[in-house]
Amino acid sequence: MSESNYVYAAIGVLLTTVSLASGCDASSPEEQSAPAGAQPQPSSKTETQTDNTAEHDEAHAAKPRRIHLTPEQREQLPIRVTQAPAGSAEDTIQAPADVRFDADKVAEIGPRLASKVVAVKTDLGERVAVGDPLAVLDSVALGKAKARYLTTTAQYRNALAVYKRKQDLAEDKIISQAALDEARATYQSARASRRAIRAELKLYGLTADQIAAIDTTDGDAPLSRFTLRAPIAGTIQRRDAVIGQTVASNETPFQVVDASQMWVMIHVAENNAARMQPGLAVSLRVRSLPGRRFEGTTNWVSEALDADSRTLTVRAVVDNTDRRLSADMFGTATIQTEGSKDYALVPTDAVQTLDGDESAVFVPGSEPGAFRVVPVTLGHEGNGQVEIRDGLAAGDAVVTGGAFDLMSALTSGSRSAAHGH
């Protein structure tokens, strides 16, 4: 059976459900509660029936219009519920967009000198904090540099001690000024050599604390070993390292990404370029997540049009704390060019018409599968969206997909209930 046939079948079952829920009892309350043996009272068929019909219609008109779907119906009907974003339909621009990692939250990690991988401490998808180990590496060049540091440090300390002792002797006129000058020169040379090797170690990525720890390293521990650590908190997005692999100084075998927020690159048509600026509200919908909207704000506008597409690139930052957005997703961004209006915005096909001229939307009820009709007052319409001036507030949950199916079931079910009177 095709997908459309499934939908029609589901609507058919739903109509039966609505008809049964909306239908009236065959007998009136008085007849149901009349005592046994009581004689029916004569009545005028025309007047009494007309009065009962009017009262019954009035009672139906006052009833909240609701629909309750079974789990099977909910599964087959294309119902989508989202939160209505705030904005103004006449001041919105829609444009294609693609999702990228926030470059300020990405770290490419590798050694600063040729090294061999000794151990890998993390794997793809793992969460790491700042300073967590990623891999242990071994570098001959680093080992030689550390050895030079130990040698120059020892020479520096010895030269410093000699210089201080000769200062005391010179004050007591025990040695000549020439001897003191020689001791000073030796000390200054040793200090310069130590500073040079410390600078070299910092170039290799060692911190001041790590350099200071070289002196206290266990004599059996190889000076060539070092640990590659995460500079930011995030998730391991790339791991191109295995034990025994040689990694060059220009390679970055690890990538750590914090995807809690993403960049959205929006490609705005040239005729709307002048309306773009940082600080505009953005609502993103991506093809692979049709029921979701991601909210953000523009933070950069290019100063040049793309030569091929004649579009202006605008960047927005959107929240992605639930990690549903992925890099390289494509979608459509709606940019609010005037942020002072905060009407609820819904797709035009989310609005249905009741009784000929009453506009309404469906909102979810208190139970799963329950939906109710909410009359609304409409405002401006544009870019496939319409403002809700009254009846629905920005941020409220509303049916944005499948509203026509719910309305068809509601109206058909009402007709079926009326025919059963």
Side-chain angles (χ1 to χ4, degrees), residues 165-247:
R165 185 171 64 253
K166 288 192 175 182
Q167 278 183 317
D168 294 338
L169 294 174
E171 288 178 0
D172 295 336
K173 306 297 183 180
I174 298 175
I175 63 171
S176 65
Q177 184 64 38
L180 178 61
D181 291 341
E182 182 181 358
R184 181 188 298 112
T186 302
Y187 159 69
Q188 291 176 340
S189 176
R191 185 179 63 175
S193 297
R194 183 172 180 266
R195 290 182 63 186
I197 192 60
R198 284 175 60 88
E200 183 179 349
L201 291 172
K202 287 182 178 180
L203 289 175
Y204 292 156
L206 274 67
T207 65
D209 290 341
Q210 290 172 331
I211 294 173
I214 295 175
D215 278 342
T216 61
T217 301
D218 183 359
D220 295 332
L223 292 176
S224 56
R225 295 287 172 86
F226 69 99
T227 301
L228 207 60
R229 299 182 181 275
I232 65 171
T235 303
I236 302 298
Q237 178 66 21
R238 187 179 69 248
R239 173 213 156 170
D240 295 330
V242 295
I243 295 175
Q245 173 186 351
T246 298
V247 183

Side-chain angles (χ1 to χ4, degrees), residues 64-408:
R65 285 162 287 193
R66 303 172 184 270
I67 289 180
H68 194 287
L69 304 183
T70 65
E72 293 77 13
Q73 294 164 349
R74 184 70 175 86
E75 183 70 23
Q76 296 206 18
L77 289 178
I79 309 301
R80 183 170 64 250
V81 177
T82 58
Q83 288 184 325
S88 172
E90 64 179 352
D91 295 316
T92 58
I93 294 172
Q94 287 188 330
D98 57 272
V99 181
R100 303 180 189 178
F101 288 127
D102 183 337
D104 294 330
K105 296 181 177 293
V106 176
E108 301 283 349
I109 308 156
R112 299 188 183 183
L113 66 174
S115 309
K116 187 177 290 292
V117 178
V118 176
V120 179
K121 298 294 187 179
T122 189
D123 199 5
L124 292 173
E126 290 186 10
R127 297 279 299 170
V128 294
V130 176
D132 281 355
L134 305 180
V136 177
L137 293 90
D138 190 286
S139 169
V140 174
L142 179 63
K144 291 180 177 179
K146 286 182 177 180
R148 290 196 303 274
Y149 172 76
L150 290 175
T151 300
T152 56
T153 297
Q155 293 171 345
Y156 162 78
R157 289 172 179 168
N158 181 64
L160 176 61
V162 171
Y163 175 54
K164 286 183 176 180
R165 185 171 64 253
K166 288 192 175 182
Q167 278 183 317
D168 294 338
L169 294 174
E171 288 178 0
D172 295 336
K173 306 297 183 180
I174 298 175
I175 63 171
S176 65
Q177 184 64 38
L180 178 61
D181 291 341
E182 182 181 358
R184 181 188 298 112
T186 302
Y187 159 69
Q188 291 176 340
S189 176
R191 185 179 63 175
S193 297
R194 183 172 180 266
R195 290 182 63 186
I197 192 60
R198 284 175 60 88
E200 183 179 349
L201 291 172
K202 287 182 178 180
L203 289 175
Y204 292 156
L206 274 67
T207 65
D209 290 341
Q210 290 172 331
I211 294 173
I214 295 175
D215 278 342
T216 61
T217 301
D218 183 359
D220 295 332
L223 292 176
S224 56
R225 295 287 172 86
F226 69 99
T227 301
L228 207 60
R229 299 182 181 275
I232 65 171
T235 303
I236 302 298
Q237 178 66 21
R238 187 179 69 248
R239 173 213 156 170
D240 295 330
V242 295
I243 295 175
Q245 173 186 351
T246 298
V247 183
S249 60
N250 62 341
E251 293 181 319
T252 53
F254 292 94
Q255 183 188 60
V256 176
V257 174
D258 178 3
S260 59
Q261 68 180 32
M262 303 288 275
W263 279 356
V264 177
M265 310 306 289
I266 310 167
H267 310 287
V268 178
E270 182 176 2
N271 61 324
N272 290 318
R275 304 170 66 185
M276 296 296 99
Q277 63 183 11
L280 300 178
V282 173
S283 178
L284 172 72
R285 297 183 67 175
V286 295
R287 300 172 187 173
S288 55
L289 300 170
R292 289 292 308 275
R293 286 182 181 270
F294 299 88
E295 307 299 326
T297 307
T298 60
N299 69 342
W300 173 78
V301 178
S302 175
E303 296 185 1
L305 293 177
D306 183 272
D308 297 324
S309 63
R310 304 303 299 171
T311 58
L312 184 74
T313 302
V314 178
R315 187 180 71 194
V317 178
V318 300
D319 180 73
N320 188 39
T321 51
D322 59 0
R323 304 301 198 278
R324 297 299 302 277
L325 281 178
S326 299
D328 298 324
M329 282 184 171
F330 291 93
T332 300
T334 301
I335 304 175
Q336 184 68 43
T337 61
E338 184 174 308
S340 60
K341 297 180 181 178
D342 55 356
Y343 302 121
L345 292 178
V346 299
T348 53
D349 55 6
V351 179
Q352 302 297 311
T353 302
L354 293 173
D355 302 327
D357 60 355
E358 183 183 16
S359 297
V361 297
F362 284 92
V363 300
S366 57
E367 299 177 359
F371 300 91
R372 59 188 178 86
V373 176
V374 174
V376 293
T377 302
L378 304 182
H380 294 291
E381 180 180 336
N383 293 312
Q385 294 185 308
V386 61
E387 300 171 353
I388 304 298
R389 300 291 181 87
D390 189 37
L392 190 75
D396 288 350
V398 60
V399 175
T400 54
F404 176 78
D405 296 320
L406 291 178
M407 180 57 65
S408 298

Side-chain angles (χ1 to χ4, degrees), residues 4-67:
S4 60
N5 289 337
Y6 274 120
V7 173
Y8 292 144
I11 292 177
V13 175
L14 177 59
L15 297 185
T16 303
T17 304
V18 174
S19 297
L20 292 174
S22 304
C24 301
D25 295 335
S27 59
S28 66
E30 290 80 2
E31 291 172 331
Q32 293 175 359
S33 59
Q39 296 297 320
Q41 298 297 320
S43 62
S44 168
K45 180 179 180 181
T46 302
E47 292 180 2
T48 304
Q49 204 167 48
T50 300
D51 292 342
N52 288 343
T53 300
E55 292 175 1
H56 185 70
D57 289 346
E58 184 178 347
H60 267 280
K63 269 189 176 182
R65 285 162 287 193
R66 303 172 184 270
I67 289 180

